[in-house]
């Protein structure tokens, strides 16, 4: 029992609360609700498959092939996985699964996601036990947390779900650390908080804000001396910092050199939550969120300049939490200090999520770190967490007779809410469409109302109460938040993301790459406008894609190529001044040999001319083209031309040169003629090519030259020439070059993130005035 007792009004009942039974019922209910996914009948779609499943498979393939997963050549001409928050490199459960399972399945990925949500739910049960709140309230809170609100409707955002799942575990350990003034629990809380922060997303950021506020609140309101809180807080801070320091430094360095170092206020406003979204607290499918996209009529439809998917606006947590909160709300509700804190958190996160719809977010924007994130609506995760916890607490008040439901007032309030929803639907001219989901919600609300009134009258308790809560909540969440187009699709739809996929397009590309293999070649492909889940298929199949799917990209790459987040639709394939079309010097340098498009290529490339590329075949809707002028991955140039890369990016102008012999550098020009030399006097051959180590054998003519590696330049790569350190120059705007002397040599490229990071930090310090 904690040294700081719960408020006397809600002390535990004389009989022992069945927390163990509540935990078992939660797990049984969670298994039932997750079964459609765990059985393999459906799978979590969208980002979970298009982005995170390929990352999971790449991680497993790297580990089981004895390679490092810290860099991948398979997307965007190379990406530093170790710094990418969404690469799963520092996700403990995914990392462990990748180390154990060579070929991660869809079911395994989904099971990890649901398992982490279950972990969070169990932590809430433990938190309720420590507070002396009721077991039934704990069960309600755990189910609302794991299968309600954003956890249910945005489950495809695997990274955010992971961060969210660590939150209740951190809160439980943190609360224990402060309850008992325990440095050991403080260290444990710090370690778990570090796992949450390693998600490096807005949910983790907002969770840290809330936990920091909780710490200050507890120190200010606890009866124990303030000094006694120093040990647990310091232990947590030290443990957390030790775990996150290096990964966070990598990510901050990536952010500084990425396409999105910060988000301005207007950019953030585009991810605001429309106020009408809170109608989904009453009815999950009021707006048709679970049906065909064409039938969806709720916000953000009709909202100008908003970029939210329909599932991002749904916050339904179940009928029991809503009814319990309304029934218990009153002056006594705020007598408990924890309730006061989480009620304030609920208001804060509601205002944060609303973004541009209130003046509050413009003030919140000045909190350090807020400008890193583009979507205030992500705060619905934290809103859902606070609501789940308060709903369980409210049920405790009712069960302990601290709060007494007044049936006429409760029913009147619920009728009023349904009347408002009906009026809104009528105003939007969608009343007929809204009646069916409202009727379903009304049935569950009626059941929850009857349950709450019975509990308040003392007619239901013990095992019967827990069983009734579990049964009603399971039915409600299965119907209201069950599998739908946003959260569950047939796994066959994502067959191309299986390593053993028989997809004919992938098979054709692999065969063509094999046919045209050469000692100096490692050709790239492009998968454009085929389907949402295609761009990162290259991570699964070991193909080198010139593009991919990731909201974070290296700025140097985006500036040169115009690469956007995605390339699932024709209009998402963006070009740049320097690379205005597929037929361009930059495409050749990238070694872009094969382009597979879901529409004729001229619908994507408005500058395309017949004959620019050769159409090889059409497989279903997919057209496959070949760029026969694509350069090898490694080349030896004997002439260097001085250019201004910034000016080239701004103007899109390439100097006249033979780029098989000439390299563009931001250094003085130097040329050595090849006239009279045999063809193999300047050559390069790939000896080995791994994720983080590339070995090239070169031969340079008299006067020497430059080995060109047509992979994206990045400061964390190092090179050696015959075992001695060699400088990697930024070449041809985007790529790497190493000066080599006459004769045969071995050049080895290695990705070394820690030395690279330290070198960048040192370089920036040296550029400061007075340093």
């Amino acid at each position: 029992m904690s040294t700081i007792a719960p408020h006397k009004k809600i002390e535990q009942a004389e009989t022992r609360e069945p927390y163990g039974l509540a935990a078992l019922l939660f797990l049984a209910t969670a298994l039932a609700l997750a079964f459609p996914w765990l059985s393999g009948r459906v799978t979590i779609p969208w980002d979970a498959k298009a982005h995170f499943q390929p990352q999971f498979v790449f991680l497993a393939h790297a580990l089981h092939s004895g390679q490092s997963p810290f860099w991948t050549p398979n997307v965007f001409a190379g990406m530093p996985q170790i710094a990418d928050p969404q690469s799963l490199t520092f996700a403990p459960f995914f990392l462990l699964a990748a180390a154990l399972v060579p070929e991660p399945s869809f079911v395994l990925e989904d099971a990890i996601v649901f398992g982490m949500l279950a972990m969070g739910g169990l932590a809430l049960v433990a938190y309720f036990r420590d507070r002396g709140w009721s077991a039934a309230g704990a069960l309600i809170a755990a189910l609302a947390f794991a299968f309600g609100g954003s956890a249910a409707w945005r489950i495809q955002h695997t990274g955010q779900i992971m961060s969210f799942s660590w939150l209740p575990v951190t809160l439980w350990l943190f609360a224990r650390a402060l309850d008992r003034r325990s440095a050991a629990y403080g260290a444990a809380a710090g370690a778990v908080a570090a796992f949450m922060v390693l998600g490096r997303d807005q949910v983790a950021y907002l969770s840290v804000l809330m936990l920091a506020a909780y710490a200050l609140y507890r120190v200010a309101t606890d009866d124990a001396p303030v000094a006694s809180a120093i040990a647990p807080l310091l232990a947590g801070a030290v443990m957390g910092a030790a775990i996150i320091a290096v990964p966070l430094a990598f990510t901050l360095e990536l952010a500084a050199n990425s396409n999105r170092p910060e988000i301005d206020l207007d950019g953030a406003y585009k991810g605001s939550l429309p106020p009408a979204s809170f109608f989904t607290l009453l009815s999950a499918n009021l707006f048709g969120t679970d049906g065909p996209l064409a039938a969806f009529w709720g916000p953000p439809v009709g909202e100008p300049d908003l970029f939210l998917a329909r599932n991002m606006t749904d916050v339904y947590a179940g009928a029991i939490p809503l009814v319990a909160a309304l029934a218990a709300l009153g002056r006594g509700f705020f007598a408990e200090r924890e309730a006061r804190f989480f009620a304030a958190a609920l208001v804060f996160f509601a205002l944060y999520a609303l973004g541009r719809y209130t003046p509050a977010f413009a003030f919140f924007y000045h909190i350090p770190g807020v400008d890193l994130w583009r979507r205030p609506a992500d705060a619905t995760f934290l809103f859902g967490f606070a609501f789940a916890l308060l709903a369980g607490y409210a049920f405790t008040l009712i069960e302990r007779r601290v709060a007494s439901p007044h049936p006429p007032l409760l029913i009147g309030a619920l009728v009023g809410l349904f009347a408002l929803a009906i009026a809104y639907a009528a105003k939007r001219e969608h009343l007929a469409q809204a009646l069916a989901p409202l009727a379903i919600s009304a049935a569950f609300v009626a059941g929850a109302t009857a349950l709450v009134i019975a509990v308040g009258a003392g007619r239901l308790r013990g095992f019967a109460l827990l069983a009734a809560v579990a049964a009603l909540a399971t039915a409600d969440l299965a119907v209201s938040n069950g599998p739908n187009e946003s959260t569950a699709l047939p796994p066959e739809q994502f067959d191309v993301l299986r390593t053993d996929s028989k997809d004919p397009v992938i098979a054709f590309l692999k065969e063509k790459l094999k046919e045209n293999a050469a000692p100096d070649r490692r050709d790239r492909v492009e998968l454009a406008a085929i389907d949402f889940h295609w761009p990162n298929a290259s991570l699964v199949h070991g193909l080198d894609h010139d593009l991919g799917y990731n909201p974070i990209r290296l700025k140097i790459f985006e500036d040169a190529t115009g690469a956007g987040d995605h390339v699932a639709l024709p209009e998402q394939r963006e070009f740049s001044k320097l690379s205005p079309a597929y037929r361009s010097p930059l495409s050749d340098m990238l070694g872009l040999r094969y382009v597979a498009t879901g529409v004729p290529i001229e619908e994507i490339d408005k500058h395309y001319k017949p004959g620019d590329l050769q159409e090889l075949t059409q497989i279903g809707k997919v057209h496959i083209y070949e760029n026969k002028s694509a350069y090898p991955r490694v080349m030896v140039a004997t002439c260097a031309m001085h250019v201004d890369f910034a000016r080239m990016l701004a103007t899109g102008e390439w100097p006249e040169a033979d780029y098989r012999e000439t390299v563009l550098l931001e250094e003085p020009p130097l040329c050595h003629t090849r006239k009279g030399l045999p063809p193999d006097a300047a050559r390069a051959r790939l000896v080995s090519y791994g994720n983080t180590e590339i070995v090239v054998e070169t031969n340079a003519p008299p006067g020497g030259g430059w080995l060109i590696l047509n992979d994206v330049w990045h400061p964390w790569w190092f090179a050696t020439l015959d075992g001695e350190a060699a400088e990697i120059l930024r070449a041809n705007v985007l790529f790497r070059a190493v000066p080599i002397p006459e004769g045969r040599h071995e050049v080895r490229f290695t990705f070394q993130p820690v030395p690279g990071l330290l070198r960048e930090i040192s370089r920036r310090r040296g550029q400061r005035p007075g340093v």
Side-chain angles (χ1 to χ4, degrees):
M1 182 63 67
S2 64
T3 58
I4 299 176
H7 194 280
K8 63 181 181 180
K9 287 190 176 182
I10 55 168
E11 289 176 346
Q12 283 183 259
E14 293 181 5
T15 57
R16 183 179 177 83
E17 284 280 348
Y19 296 108
L21 180 58
L24 288 174
L25 280 173
F26 167 70
L27 289 176
T29 300
L31 182 62
L33 291 171
F35 185 75
W37 291 268
L38 301 182
S39 68
R41 181 173 64 83
V42 294
T43 193
I44 304 173
W46 308 115
D47 279 11
K49 292 297 165 289
H51 188 34
F52 289 99
Q53 178 71 21
Q55 301 283 358
F56 190 18
V57 174
F58 172 81
L59 181 61
H61 285 179
L63 295 177
H64 286 271
S65 64
Q67 294 198 66
S68 167
F70 292 164
W71 177 276
T72 178
N74 302 135
V75 289
F76 298 112
M79 274 289 290
Q81 295 288 92
I82 194 171
D84 185 349
Q86 299 179 337
S87 70
L88 304 179
T89 305
F90 295 104
F93 294 112
F94 279 98
L95 183 60
L96 176 62
L100 296 175
V101 181
E103 297 293 345
S105 66
F106 296 170
V107 171
L108 178 58
E109 184 201 8
D110 295 354
I112 293 173
V113 169
F114 282 110
M116 291 194 68
L117 286 171
M119 172 191 72
L122 290 174
L124 271 180
V125 174
Y127 175 81
F128 268 60
R129 180 185 181 279
D130 285 358
R131 309 262 71 72
W133 299 350
S134 77
L139 178 58
I140 290 166
L143 288 171
F145 161 81
F147 294 95
S150 293
W153 286 97
R154 299 178 64 180
I155 196 169
Q156 74 271 27
H157 291 277
T158 304
Q160 292 183 324
I161 292 292
M162 286 191 293
S163 299
F164 189 55
S165 298
W166 289 116
L167 172 58
V169 184
T170 308
L171 174 65
W172 167 54
L173 292 170
F174 197 20
R176 274 203 165 193
L178 292 173
D179 287 348
R180 305 181 182 195
R181 294 308 198 245
S182 166
Y185 274 111
V192 175
F195 294 147
M196 179 178 68
V197 171
L198 287 175
R200 293 162 285 181
D201 52 47
Q202 187 164 206
V203 173
Y205 168 76
L206 293 175
S207 296
V208 168
L209 285 186
M210 187 183 74
L211 291 167
Y214 179 80
L216 293 174
Y217 179 76
R218 283 291 306 271
V219 169
T221 60
D222 281 355
D223 296 332
V226 171
S228 65
I230 294 175
L233 293 176
L234 185 61
V238 170
M239 177 65 76
I243 294 173
I244 68 170
V246 174
L248 192 59
F250 288 144
T251 299
L252 291 174
E253 186 68 21
L254 172 62
N257 293 291
S258 76
N259 59 305
R260 46 178 291 187
E262 64 180 27
I263 305 296
D264 62 23
L265 183 59
D266 288 337
Y269 277 160
K270 295 176 182 178
S272 301
L273 184 77
S277 302
F278 286 110
F279 275 120
T280 60
L281 277 172
L282 184 67
S283 176
N285 290 300
L286 170 65
F287 303 123
T289 314
D290 70 343
L293 180 58
F296 176 73
W297 61 274
V301 174
E303 297 282 352
D305 203 25
L306 277 190
F307 295 91
L308 293 176
R310 54 177 167 160
N311 61 309
M312 293 179 181
T313 63
D314 210 308
V315 293
Y316 186 76
I320 299 177
L322 177 64
V323 173
L326 289 173
L329 195 60
R331 188 168 52 188
F333 188 88
F334 300 102
E336 169 71 22
R337 69 169 179 211
E338 304 275 311
R340 292 194 295 272
F341 175 81
F342 286 107
L346 185 79
V347 173
F348 173 83
F349 290 119
L351 292 173
Y352 190 105
L354 287 168
R356 73 183 187 194
Y357 293 98
T358 78
F361 186 80
F363 173 75
F364 299 154
Y365 185 77
H366 296 290
I367 298 173
V370 170
D371 61 356
L372 293 173
W373 316 106
R374 63 178 175 176
R375 195 165 47 221
D378 286 348
T380 54
F381 278 97
L382 280 298
F383 174 88
F385 175 80
F387 183 70
L389 191 149
L390 288 170
Y393 164 74
F395 200 85
T396 298
L397 295 181
I398 295 166
E399 191 179 348
R400 303 279 170 80
R401 308 285 188 89
V402 176
S404 300
H406 192 278
L409 288 177
L410 176 59
I411 293 171
L414 291 167
V415 169
L417 289 176
F418 275 96
L420 284 175
I422 290 170
Y424 181 78
K427 181 180 178 181
R428 294 287 303 272
E429 300 181 349
H430 284 278
L431 179 59
Q433 188 179 345
L435 288 178
L438 283 172
I440 293 171
S441 298
F444 286 116
V445 166
T449 303
L451 174 68
V452 166
I453 291 173
V455 170
R459 294 195 296 269
L460 199 59
R461 59 181 61 254
F463 174 77
L465 173 57
L466 286 173
V469 167
L472 181 57
T474 301
D476 180 8
L477 295 171
V479 171
S480 302
N481 288 0
N484 58 74
E485 283 191 5
S486 294
T487 64
L489 290 174
E492 296 77 17
Q493 186 168 325
F494 306 99
D495 179 70
V496 72
L497 299 179
R498 304 182 198 271
T499 305
D500 60 353
S501 171
K502 300 298 189 291
D503 185 89
V505 173
I506 296 295
F508 182 87
L509 290 173
K510 286 182 175 180
E511 185 60 32
K512 295 302 291 184
L513 290 168
K514 184 178 178 181
E515 285 178 10
N516 292 286
D520 58 348
R521 302 200 71 91
R522 187 179 164 103
D523 291 329
R524 288 191 169 92
V525 303
E526 181 170 307
L527 309 170
I530 300 176
D531 208 340
F532 184 82
H533 57 279
W534 270 75
N536 281 353
S538 54
L539 286 164
V540 175
H541 297 287
L543 305 176
D544 286 359
H545 195 185
D546 67 325
L547 300 174
Y549 172 30
N550 199 323
I552 297 177
R553 298 167 303 287
L554 295 174
K555 187 176 188 299
I556 184 177
F557 187 80
E558 184 185 73
D559 288 349
T561 65
D565 283 19
H566 217 312
V567 67
L569 300 172
E571 59 269 24
Q572 291 174 327
R573 198 337 179 164
E574 300 178 24
F575 294 91
S576 67
K577 288 183 178 180
L578 200 63
S579 182
Y582 283 115
R583 178 71 269 128
S584 73
L586 192 60
S587 291
D588 291 344
M589 291 173 181
L590 280 166
L592 179 56
R593 185 71 174 269
Y594 301 104
V595 179
T597 62
V599 297
I601 200 167
E602 55 267 23
E603 293 185 26
I604 297 175
D605 180 358
K606 303 307 179 184
H607 295 95
Y608 185 82
K609 299 182 183 63
D612 280 353
L613 304 181
Q614 178 185 353
E615 183 165 4
L616 298 177
T617 188
Q618 181 176 347
I619 302 173
K621 71 171 186 177
V622 178
H623 303 257
I624 301 179
Y625 302 85
E626 181 178 11
N627 172 24
K628 291 190 173 182
S629 62
Y631 292 172
R633 185 63 61 92
V634 289
M635 308 160 58
V636 173
T638 54
C639 183
M641 182 183 295
H642 170 70
V643 294
D644 182 338
F645 289 155
R647 184 177 182 281
M648 286 182 64
L649 289 167
T651 65
E653 296 176 0
W654 289 87
E656 290 291 331
D658 180 351
Y659 292 113
R660 290 181 178 272
E661 296 185 2
T662 301
V663 61
L664 305 181
L665 301 172
E666 291 186 310
E667 293 193 345
L670 181 66
C671 282
H672 304 288
T673 181
R674 289 189 180 184
K675 291 182 178 179
L677 296 176
D680 62 348
R683 69 176 186 274
R685 180 177 72 87
L686 287 167
V687 176
S688 64
Y689 191 104
N691 293 339
T692 57
E693 184 175 85
I694 302 165
V695 180
V696 185
E697 182 185 274
T698 68
N699 194 55
W706 292 264
L707 168 65
I708 302 171
L709 174 62
N710 285 316
D711 283 350
V712 69
W713 182 89
H714 192 276
W716 298 350
W717 280 91
F718 291 76
T720 60
L721 176 67
D722 299 328
E724 298 293 328
E727 184 180 8
I728 300 178
L729 305 174
R730 181 178 164 191
N732 295 338
V733 181
L734 188 58
F735 306 103
R736 310 175 205 167
V738 174
I740 54 174
E742 177 184 349
R744 177 178 289 186
H745 304 280
E746 180 186 270
V747 179
R748 185 180 300 266
F749 296 86
T750 55
F751 182 65
Q752 301 178 47
V754 173
L757 176 64
L758 294 175
R759 182 173 66 180
E760 286 299 288
I761 294 173
S762 175
R763 180 183 61 81
R764 281 200 299 273
R765 287 186 63 190
Q767 291 175 345
R768 293 176 186 170
V771 177

